Amino acid sequence: MRPITVCPSTLALGFSTYCPLAKRLLFDGKAVSHIFPEMSPKDLDADRLQDTVQHIGRISLSGVQPKFSAIVGEDLRLRYTRDNERGHFILKPQPSSYHIINREFCAANESLTMQLASQVYRIETAANGLCFYENDETAYITRRFDIHGGGKYRQEDFASLMGLTKSNGGADYKYSRASYEDCADVIRRHVKAYRIDLLRFFRLVLFNVISLNDDAHLKNFSLINTGNEYRLTPAYDLINTSLHLVNHRIFALDKGLFKEGMQLSDVRQVCRKDFEEFGHRIGLNDKTVQRELDFFAAVHPEAEQLIDRSFLSEELKKQYWNSLDYRRKMLTF
């Protein structure tokens, strides 16, 4: 196994497994091993893979990234769920599609992006980290925030809340049928404390732009009801897609920020004024909008430190930092 000198969740220095904070956030303080004592899906032959998928509970196949259900066993090791077990974790192994470049670093990328969001940019995220198969392959793991001791909280993604499906919105309904301004309307309609969540949503949109997450589609935003009212869920599925896709964009949603769409071209690029207008349209006052834009446009040395301590290759670390540095500058002009 590879030697580990940083926490595979928080990226804190000086740890050969999960640090105390990671154990608390992911495993309620339990000393769970970072080794996943199973074969990775790509090492299974076709028959064994089919049998494994049937028994461990494949959650979905979003694009090209498989997701599996996992649980902590009595031996304090992660394992796939079995029949009639409710998984507390979602596990994402390495994708197999050959058009995804650097796919062996997808897990490291997603975990890093989530840690940047929470540690540097003040965004509430699902607890997350990395684990390692016995062949040293890296997998991304995240704790499900919709599961509690007595069952499952009600959660609805924005596509569902907008009444959009493949049958009425087309194959690309997650991307083509709404704008981020429309998403803000969903929050306003369904969330009692909508002013708080509109600010959280504004921050998340800004973060997705500077971190080059152009897969922030309608199903990657959700509301959850943990009591008697809905609120915006912690952020999830954050990843710098430029490290894996040849052709990437600024916004996942075709219409971009505004309901009427955005006419972007070689001579019309997104800039600070667009985000100022977006903030005002969704109901934020000018002082708040300027404060947030200044914060996301600023250089944060701790962001570069996290990238440097991540499990990306040295080349991808440089690419990640350079792309983030370029995008944050877009918020200054």
Side-chain angles (χ1 to χ4, degrees):
M1 297 297 297
R2 74 177 72 186
I4 292 178
T5 58
V6 298
C7 170
S9 173
T10 66
L11 301 176
L13 289 169
F15 293 93
S16 59
T17 187
Y18 300 115
C19 70
L21 176 60
K23 292 175 183 176
R24 179 170 62 82
L25 295 176
L26 277 167
F27 310 117
D28 296 324
K30 297 176 182 177
V32 175
S33 172
H34 63 281
I35 306 300
F36 196 96
E38 305 260 4
M39 294 181 68
S40 71
K42 74 178 180 63
D43 285 342
L44 299 175
D45 59 43
D47 291 338
R48 290 185 64 193
L49 178 58
Q50 183 177 6
D51 182 68
T52 300
V53 168
Q54 288 176 344
H55 286 88
I56 65 178
R58 189 168 188 156
I59 296 173
S60 69
L61 181 63
S62 177
V64 297
Q65 197 167 20
K67 299 179 183 180
F68 295 94
S69 179
I71 197 170
V72 174
E74 294 182 359
D75 60 353
L76 295 184
R77 287 179 175 269
L78 291 159
R79 63 169 174 82
Y80 296 124
T81 53
R82 299 166 184 155
D83 290 342
N84 301 316
E85 285 185 325
R86 187 189 296 275
H88 291 175
F89 301 90
I90 295 172
L91 183 78
K92 296 183 185 180
Q94 177 181 310
S96 58
S97 177
Y98 287 98
H99 79 275
I100 301 297
I101 58 177
N102 306 310
R103 60 186 183 278
E104 67 272 28
F105 293 105
C106 283
N109 181 352
E110 184 165 0
S111 184
L112 167 62
T113 307
M114 294 283 284
Q115 293 299 324
L116 285 169
S118 61
Q119 293 190 45
V120 180
Y121 292 98
R122 306 182 305 197
I123 292 171
E124 182 185 4
T125 62
N128 65 90
L130 299 175
C131 60
F132 304 89
Y133 289 106
E134 292 182 334
N135 67 353
D136 216 30
E137 181 185 324
T138 306
Y140 174 79
I141 189 165
T142 182
R143 182 169 180 168
R144 293 183 61 171
F145 48 74
D146 62 333
I147 299 297
H148 61 88
K152 189 174 183 294
Y153 295 121
R154 184 174 181 181
Q155 181 178 334
E156 300 283 348
D157 64 57
F158 280 22
S160 298
L161 292 166
M162 292 179 183
L164 292 171
T165 64
K166 187 179 293 186
S167 61
N168 65 25
D172 292 330
Y173 73 98
K174 296 184 296 184
Y175 303 93
S176 63
R177 305 292 290 181
S179 67
Y180 293 107
E181 186 181 359
D182 292 312
C183 292
D185 287 345
V186 169
I187 296 172
R188 191 175 288 104
R189 285 197 305 269
H190 295 280
V191 178
K192 184 176 180 180
Y194 66 86
R195 294 185 186 280
I196 295 173
D197 275 358
L198 285 173
L199 175 56
R200 293 175 62 213
F201 179 69
F202 184 65
R203 288 174 176 167
L204 187 50
V205 171
L206 291 176
F207 179 76
N208 283 331
V209 169
I210 67 169
S211 66
L212 287 85
N213 176 24
D214 73 356
D215 200 36
H217 54 68
L218 295 179
K219 295 186 76 67
N220 279 344
F221 299 95
S222 298
L223 300 183
I224 191 168
N225 191 332
T226 58
N228 297 317
E229 59 185 60
Y230 279 100
R231 68 183 291 264
L232 190 66
T233 67
Y236 57 92
D237 288 357
L238 306 180
I239 188 168
N240 183 330
T241 54
S242 73
L243 272 57
H244 308 294
L245 301 177
V246 176
N247 298 313
H248 54 91
R249 310 186 305 173
I250 293 179
F251 300 112
L253 301 185
D254 291 347
K255 292 185 178 181
L257 297 173
F258 307 126
K259 293 180 179 181
E260 67 274 18
M262 301 178 71
Q263 299 299 318
L264 300 178
S265 66
D266 291 341
V267 295
R268 165 67 171 94
Q269 293 295 312
V270 67
C271 61
R272 185 181 178 103
K273 288 185 178 179
D274 294 310
F275 294 101
E276 289 174 341
E277 181 178 350
F278 174 65
H280 298 152
R281 285 196 188 192
I282 69 174
L284 303 180
N285 63 52
D286 187 63
K287 182 178 179 181
T288 299
V289 170
Q290 298 302 329
R291 180 195 69 206
E292 295 300 323
L293 285 171
D294 287 344
F295 177 76
F296 281 86
V299 176
H300 296 283
E302 60 268 42
E304 188 171 14
Q305 293 166 8
L306 283 177
I307 294 170
D308 187 59
R309 297 201 298 262
S310 75
F311 289 80
L312 293 174
S313 68
E314 293 303 315
E315 180 182 352
L316 291 182
K317 289 176 184 179
K318 294 177 183 178
Q319 184 177 331
Y320 198 119
W321 171 250
N322 289 336
S323 63
L324 187 148
D325 191 51
Y326 175 80
R327 280 288 183 88
R328 63 99 190 159
K329 291 175 181 175
M330 291 172 51
L331 301 181
T332 65
F333 51 80

